[in-house]
Amino acid sequence: MTDIKAGRLAATIFLPLALVACDGDDGDAGVAGASGADGTSDLIQQTTLLSGDEQCFDGGTRIDSGTDSNANNVLDASEITATSFLCNAPAINAAQNFNRIATFPVCELLQSNCDIDTATAAEIVSASTDGQTLIYTDSPRTVVGFIDISNPASPSGLGVTALAGEPTSVAVNDAFALVGVNTSTDFINVSGTLDVINISTRSSVHSIDVGGQPDSVAVSPDGNFAVVVIENERDEDLGNGEPPQAPAGSLVIVDIQDADPTNWTTNTVDLTGIANRFPSDPEPEFVDINNDNIAVVTMQENNHIVLVDLNTATISKHFSAGSVDLTNIDATEEEPALISLTESQNGVLREPDGVTWINTSFFATADEGDLDGGSRGFTIFNTDGEVVYNSGNLLDHLAVRYGHYPDARSGNKGNEPENIEFGVFGNDRYLFVNSERSSLVFVFDIADPQNPLLKQTLPTALGPEGALAIPARNLLVTASEEDSRDDKFRGGINLYNYSYSEAAYPEIASGDRIDGTPIPWSALSGLAADASSSDIAYVVEDSFYQRNRILTLDLGKVPARISNEIHVKDSNDVLAAIATATANPGAAEDDASRADVFDDLDLAQLINADKTVNLDFEGIATATGGGFWLASEGAGTVGEAGRPVNSLNFLVKTDDDGVITKVVTLPASINSQQVRFGFEGVAEHGGFVYVAFQRQWNGEADARIGVYDIALDSWSFLKYPLEAPASQNGGWVGLSEISVIGDGLGGGEFMVIERDNQAGPDAAIKRLYKFDVTGLLPNTDPALAPSVSKVLVRDLLGDLADSGGLVTEKIEGAAIARDGKVYVVNDNDGVDNHSGETRLLRFGTILN
């Protein structure tokens, strides 16, 4: 170490004073005074930190400063008044990555195949000391569940333990799971317990009254203490939903050093009177404990953070969580949706939820927000409450780049980080940030806690809340609480392995716009190969977004890169010319006079003021001679009052710049039979455009393939035999794509996607088929049309499950590249009741 003398106080300093008198002689000079004593020195001491240091994991320098009170020219430990760290730049470990290896839908603990409608949840998750068993809270069912992960790639259910109330959190101490249980009857009459459950027997051995509604539970690293956050949450429907609302929250410290839980004792820490916001009504949210037995507690609605010394059961420090200024975010929710990173918000309160210690000097918060805040990111603080890092708009931008941005939350809290976890994996230290609304885990390397670097982004099931690092087994676990069988998603436990492998996700990412923000994308509904390059494809979004675009996809990059966007525009009023004038301008869309008619009022909803359009594009194909063919699915079913006809099925031709040059509709006799399951895919071959209808029309047994003769401007049809539904949950089966394989014997071969409308454990049919139209003569009357004969190319269920996730419902895009390779993509529904996960399956020449 090096000591540097930074300054010295001056010795005694004096100025002689000359005395002047009239008519007198000068006196003799006085005796010089003694020299003053040396003053004290301020010293700076620098210490080199080796790799693996707690503060600078890749090494660096510790800088201490203070006053050399004993004048020994050495800065003793007792003289240090300030310390800072200058860490070496982190070196991201590119060789090892986290990849999802399994998702366990917790409905399996109700029924092994999840053939049950009961809503379940996996909210907070912990693990046994040996890391072989997971314990999670299931609030809707008032149970805690147990999962065997001795083989983490194939988790299995062990059973559940019923509780007397709603489980809110769980932590583990030796053989016991400590579960916070809310038994409150209402927001005023609050009560709760800390239930102690034997993990091996899954039986309750003791219950401790904690005097209020518990939320987070944590156990100290040394096993001496458990801490229970007593939130006593507010009634959001009372008045304006703001605090103060009695009773106030608090913190309960449980001394758990005795091997017998019945001997454990509690101590309550009062948190009132310390926050600037609602000081009489603290609402603590989350807690974590460091190696010095200091608990850090977030008080979300109070926008405050508290440090509590567990040894003395006293508050050692507390401070405001502060606010953040955000730029280049989307703060407006439009209908239909529009992602526009052009807005700013100043002074956004952090209102942190999850919190985790990084070491004894730094901790990190997930700034979810609740009442008035939510800064869309995470923050790293030191123990003096100083912000050493804030992520700003980074997490929102990453969610946009990876197609996971929830535009329906733009006016609230964007991607909404809810929880945060820290883990040391070998020589690497990572921070894991759970984004509740984007269903992502952001992984940051924090070798330097003041300079986190993004390492990876991981997909989860919908709504991840709990996060748990198990470094001893190279595992990361997240718990996703959202579950709705009707909406095609199930709650589950996600497991990720840290190993020497390439990062598998994301499979598609976007590049930047000119302003440096990422190109927004989501809801990919159609895929087409470029006519000349095997590395280029094109995708379209459906009507979820208000301005349709054609996106260029570079398949030569991993992940595939969205490199360009072309807005589809009706610049020449081609689409605007298609509609009949309404006979009743003041009538609602479902009025009997308008319900089965596509009129000019309906048309006006499809064309924006800037001439961009909002059609339901479900298919795309490159057109001979340039430009694109786009298939737009009609909206509404003739004769069904609840589903008025708001749009016809359109076959749209554009030039290379996306300007509409032609719009083709079906014959009036066909439109009169319209059902809402219309155009889904499009392909051009041999002077004809082939369009796949998703499902049967007019009570027919088969779906239709529409054949449009470009030269004659006429339609004819083929029949396509659909598989019968095979899902345990019923549903339907339909077509989602059609692509040209190549010339057959005097005709052409085509590939289609055939799928059911089921997901997760209920998914049964996700397949690629091919058929040849050689020798078939399409008929203008669908009832008389010949039927194609299909051949199975590939069952996609295994491919969709190989990422360790749940099978997604909408497999909607497929393309055959110039080199014969096949690509398949899913539609993530614009991250609306969907995790947002987008798969791009890459196959070789499987059509040979």
Side-chain angles (χ1 to χ4, degrees), residues 3 38 44 116 128 154 240 246 330 406 435 438 441 535 543 555 619 627 661 738 749 782:
D3 289 302
D38 287 346
I44 296 175
I116 190 168
S128 58
S154 183
N240 61 4
D330 187 346
S435 170
S438 293
V441 179
D535 285 338
S543 60
L555 300 170
T661 60
I738 184 169
E749 282 191 302

Side-chain angles (χ1 to χ4, degrees), residues 3 7 50 55 159 246 267 295 312 333 355 451-452 456 485 566 571 605 624 643 647 675 738 750 816 825:
D3 289 302
L50 301 178
Q55 307 298 338
N267 199 344
T312 61
E333 297 166 14
V355 63
N451 182 33
Q456 284 183 263
R485 191 185 195 189
I566 303 169
S571 302
Q605 303 301 310
T624 300
R643 298 187 184 277
S647 175
V675 297
I738 184 169
F750 297 86
I816 305 163
V825 71

Side-chain angles (χ1 to χ4, degrees), residues 475-721:
L475 294 175
L476 169 69
V477 181
T478 63
S480 293
E481 61 179 334
E482 298 296 332
D483 182 76
S484 173
R485 191 185 195 189
D486 286 345
D487 293 316
K488 314 299 191 302
F489 57 84
R490 304 307 309 240
I493 297 289
N494 314 273
L495 294 103
Y496 310 83
N497 177 241
Y498 186 59
S499 63
Y500 288 93
S501 57
E502 296 290 330
Y505 199 81
E507 297 177 34
I508 298 177
S510 67
D512 288 339
R513 286 176 163 168
I514 294 175
D515 64 2
T517 62
I519 298 172
W521 66 274
S522 194
L524 304 183
S525 56
L527 181 65
D530 185 74
S532 58
S533 173
S534 295
D535 285 338
I536 299 297
Y538 303 95
V539 287
V540 288
E541 297 168 313
D542 59 27
S543 60
F544 189 84
Y545 295 101
Q546 64 181 251
R547 299 174 185 171
N548 294 130
R549 294 175 301 160
I550 299 168
L551 304 174
T552 303
L553 186 63
D554 186 345
L555 300 170
K557 290 184 168 59
V558 178
R561 178 66 56 88
I562 293 175
S563 58
N564 189 39
E565 54 184 336
I566 303 169
H567 280 92
V568 180
K569 302 176 289 294
D570 191 33
S571 302
N572 301 319
D573 294 330
V574 178
L575 177 62
I578 298 179
T580 58
T582 179
N584 190 357
E589 64 177 13
D590 58 353
D591 184 87
S593 64
R594 295 189 57 211
D596 294 338
V597 178
F598 175 67
D599 56 34
D600 53 2
L601 297 181
D602 295 322
L603 179 65
Q605 303 301 310
L606 305 180
I607 305 175
N608 301 312
D610 61 358
K611 298 290 188 177
T612 59
V613 300
N614 178 224
L615 297 173
D616 191 13
F617 290 136
E618 299 287 349
I620 180 173
T622 54
T624 300
F628 302 92
W629 290 104
L630 303 169
S632 177
E633 186 174 26
T637 298
V638 171
E640 187 174 341
R643 298 187 184 277
V645 173
N646 296 134
S647 175
L648 301 178
N649 291 274
F650 296 120
L651 178 59
V652 176
K653 174 72 165 55
T654 76
D655 63 16
D656 289 337
D657 296 321
V659 175
I660 296 174
T661 60
K662 186 175 186 177
V663 176
V664 181
T665 62
L666 291 165
S669 59
I670 304 297
N671 283 333
S672 67
Q673 306 167 7
Q674 176 172 310
V675 297
R676 63 189 180 96
F677 301 100
F679 287 179
E680 277 288 321
V682 61
E684 181 192 339
H685 181 67
F688 297 90
V689 179
Y690 293 79
V691 182
F693 288 54
Q694 186 168 63
R695 293 182 62 192
Q696 302 93 334
W697 280 28
N698 200 30
E700 297 164 356
D702 299 322
R704 300 174 180 178
I705 304 292
V707 183
Y708 175 68
D709 188 318
I710 300 173
L712 298 178
D713 189 26
S714 63
W715 286 95
S716 56
F717 302 92
L718 299 169
K719 292 178 181 177
Y720 180 91

Side-chain angles (χ1 to χ4, degrees), residues 508 524-530 536-540 553 555 618-622 680-684 735-741 750-755 766-770 793-794 796 810-817 820-827 839-843 846-847:
I508 298 177
L524 304 183
S525 56
L527 181 65
D530 185 74
I536 299 297
Y538 303 95
V539 287
V540 288
L553 186 63
L555 300 170
E618 299 287 349
I620 180 173
T622 54
E680 277 288 321
V682 61
E684 181 192 339
L735 295 176
S736 280
E737 181 66 285
I738 184 169
S739 305
V740 176
I741 297 174
F750 297 86
M751 182 182 73
V752 295
I753 292 176
E754 190 173 342
R755 68 167 180 90
K766 315 290 180 188
R767 301 172 188 170
L768 295 178
Y769 285 98
K770 67 178 180 178
V793 172
R794 191 178 186 97
L796 300 176
K810 294 185 177 180
I811 311 304
E812 294 212 344
I816 305 163
K821 294 179 180 178
V822 174
Y823 299 85
V824 173
V825 71
N826 72 287
D827 177 355
R839 300 293 314 279
L840 177 66
L841 303 180
R842 297 171 179 258
F843 301 113
I846 58 175
L847 294 166

Side-chain angles (χ1 to χ4, degrees), residues 212-366:
Q213 176 242 314
D215 197 344
S216 175
V217 177
V219 170
S220 61
D222 62 10
N224 289 338
F225 299 100
V227 174
V228 184
V229 165
I230 306 301
E231 182 179 10
N232 291 342
E233 62 185 349
R234 72 190 192 280
D235 182 354
E236 297 183 20
D237 296 325
L238 179 64
N240 61 4
E242 288 188 356
Q245 293 180 23
S250 60
L251 199 70
V252 173
I253 300 172
V254 186
D255 187 325
I256 59 174
Q257 297 181 64
D258 196 293
D260 183 355
T262 62
N263 294 326
W264 293 355
T265 59
T266 64
N267 199 344
T268 299
V269 178
D270 182 10
L271 300 177
T272 60
I274 60 174
N276 294 326
R277 285 168 55 85
F278 319 118
S280 65
D281 186 17
E283 291 196 22
E285 191 75 27
F286 210 91
V287 61
D288 195 35
I289 306 169
N290 70 14
N291 288 325
D292 290 340
N293 279 335
I294 302 296
V296 56
V297 182
T298 58
M299 295 165 58
Q300 189 168 25
E301 288 79 6
N302 308 92
N303 197 42
H304 212 73
I305 297 171
V306 183
L307 302 183
V308 177
D309 186 332
L310 301 184
N311 293 303
T312 61
T314 59
I315 295 173
S316 56
K317 292 181 183 179
H318 66 90
F319 33 81
S320 169
S323 63
V324 178
D325 294 337
L326 297 171
T327 60
N328 295 120
I329 61 169
D330 187 346
T332 304
E333 297 166 14
E334 300 88 355
E335 181 62 38
L338 177 67
I339 301 174
S340 178
L341 302 176
T342 58
E343 298 176 90
S344 299
Q345 290 181 339
N346 294 324
V348 181
L349 300 182
R350 287 188 170 90
E351 291 189 357
D353 187 349
V355 63
T356 184
W357 285 101
I358 296 172
N359 51 40
T360 55
S361 298
F362 299 103
F363 61 87
T365 61

Side-chain angles (χ1 to χ4, degrees), residues 161-206:
T161 298
L163 304 168
E166 173 193 9
T168 57
S169 186
V170 59
V172 165
N173 179 56
D174 294 333
F176 303 116
L178 280 55
V179 184
V181 182
N182 178 18
T183 59
S184 304
T185 56
D186 53 44
F187 292 100
I188 297 175
N189 300 292
V190 295
S191 61
T193 60
L194 181 68
D195 284 12
V196 184
I197 298 174
N198 184 295
I199 295 173
S200 62
T201 64
R202 301 191 297 279
S203 59
S204 179
V205 297
H206 188 50

